[in-house]
Amino acid sequence: SNNTPKGIVIEKQGIFSSGGTVTAQGGVHAAGIGSGNASEWSSVTITGGTVEAIDPVRYICNRSSGKMGYEIARAAKNAGADVILISGNATAEPPTDIKFVKVKTALEMREAVWAEFDSADAVIMAAAVSDYRVKNVAAQKIKKTYATLSLELVKNPDILKDISSSRGNSDTLIVGFCAESENLLDNAIKKIQSKGCDFIIANDISRQDIGFNSDENEVYIIEKNLGIKKLEKNTKDKISEQILEEIFE
């Protein structure tokens, strides 16, 4: 691939390019899906976009449909895991047989994640969290008075980085997602290095045939030792199963 960073080998079949089975900090893989012991572990999946209010009518959001996270939650549930699904704004239909926690803002999402984190064997962060929120939300609807309007934004907490850095010696496996419009692998590698999670699932949102609001996706799985595997274009339910098979191998 033209945008593959130097020195990185992409494998389309078999184990990661690092040459062996990747293990998480505490070896959660041993109790993984591949061994048939999925019922022995619990998963928290976070998905959907967060909604940050501007005034009582308007808000900042993004194009996340929630489909990928919902399919991952279904796949984990079908494998026998105890699944909790935390969801922000989404257009897809959520699973009906999974514990479902609805949130709106990034701060609410962070609170919900922390509430479940200690009891989770795996946290899969597929949510599209707003990087910023409005500093001073207007109590009343903003009127169309001025030719221009400026909003002051403040940075939201980095949920993925916070949970990754706070787990200490915990065995919790942490998986992040990376949606990029350019330099996909370069940005995904930077993200896994800065966030400190075990895996990043990267997909190219500049393509119209995959990603946002599509039923299909094509992703790269990057592990913290920078082994990379490509999962070829497929339906999101199949991609979700493949992701779980890879990270719990």
Side-chain angles (χ1 to χ4, degrees):
S1 174
N2 292 334
N3 61 357
T4 302
K6 284 184 178 180
I8 297 295
V9 178
I10 303 297
E11 288 199 4
K12 295 186 180 179
Q13 302 294 333
I15 305 299
F16 287 93
S17 55
S18 54
T21 301
V22 179
T23 56
Q25 274 187 270
V28 177
H29 292 48
I33 292 172
S35 65
N37 295 326
S39 60
E40 296 177 9
W41 61 277
S42 61
S43 167
V44 176
T45 301
I46 308 105
T47 192
T50 58
V51 175
E52 308 295 342
I54 297 171
D55 65 16
V57 178
R58 305 174 183 92
Y59 56 84
I60 298 170
C61 196
N62 55 59
R63 293 174 55 200
S64 173
S65 65
K67 287 180 182 179
M68 195 73 222
Y70 288 173
E71 292 298 345
I72 288 173
R74 285 190 182 98
K77 173 76 172 179
N78 291 340
D82 180 19
V83 180
I84 296 169
L85 178 60
I86 299 170
S87 179
N89 186 63
T91 57
E93 282 294 315
T96 55
D97 57 345
I98 292 173
K99 180 181 176 182
F100 187 75
V101 179
K102 184 70 172 173
V103 298
K104 284 187 177 181
T105 68
L107 295 178
E108 288 177 8
M109 183 172 283
R110 179 181 65 171
E111 188 175 327
V113 172
W114 280 123
E116 306 293 347
F117 181 72
D118 286 342
S119 60
D121 294 312
V123 177
I124 302 172
M125 187 74 186
V129 185
S130 298
D131 292 327
Y132 295 88
R133 67 184 183 275
V134 177
K135 184 176 182 180
N136 298 302
V137 178
Q140 306 298 331
K141 181 183 175 184
I142 299 171
K143 299 299 183 182
K144 190 167 58 177
T145 306
Y146 305 103
T148 62
L149 175 68
S150 296
L151 294 173
E152 185 176 359
L153 305 179
V154 294
K155 190 175 283 190
N156 269 323
D158 190 327
I159 301 172
L160 180 60
K161 187 173 183 177
D162 288 349
I163 61 175
S164 296
S165 63
S166 69
R167 59 183 163 172
N169 295 321
S170 164
D171 289 351
T172 306
L173 182 77
I174 299 178
V175 182
F177 272 65
C178 179
E180 298 290 344
S181 59
E182 60 179 357
N183 303 323
L184 177 61
L185 289 177
D186 281 326
N187 285 325
I189 288 168
K190 289 175 184 174
K191 184 166 184 175
I192 196 168
Q193 290 174 329
S194 68
K195 305 296 185 185
C197 52
D198 297 298
F199 295 92
I200 285 285
I201 315 300
N203 68 285
D204 184 350
I205 60 170
S206 68
R207 288 175 51 177
Q208 298 299 309
D209 60 325
I210 59 172
F212 287 143
N213 294 303
S214 172
D215 290 327
E216 295 183 313
N217 212 349
E218 179 180 293
V219 304
Y220 291 91
I221 304 177
I222 297 102
E223 50 95 2
K224 61 185 174 185
N225 295 324
L226 304 188
I228 299 177
K229 182 169 183 178
K230 183 179 183 181
L231 300 183
E232 297 289 351
K233 183 179 173 180
N234 209 329
T235 56
K236 285 184 175 177
D237 58 334
K238 297 296 185 187
I239 290 284
S240 297
E241 292 170 2
Q242 291 171 22
I243 288 171
L244 294 182
E245 286 169 4
E246 290 296 334
I247 65 176
F248 289 102
E249 191 166 21

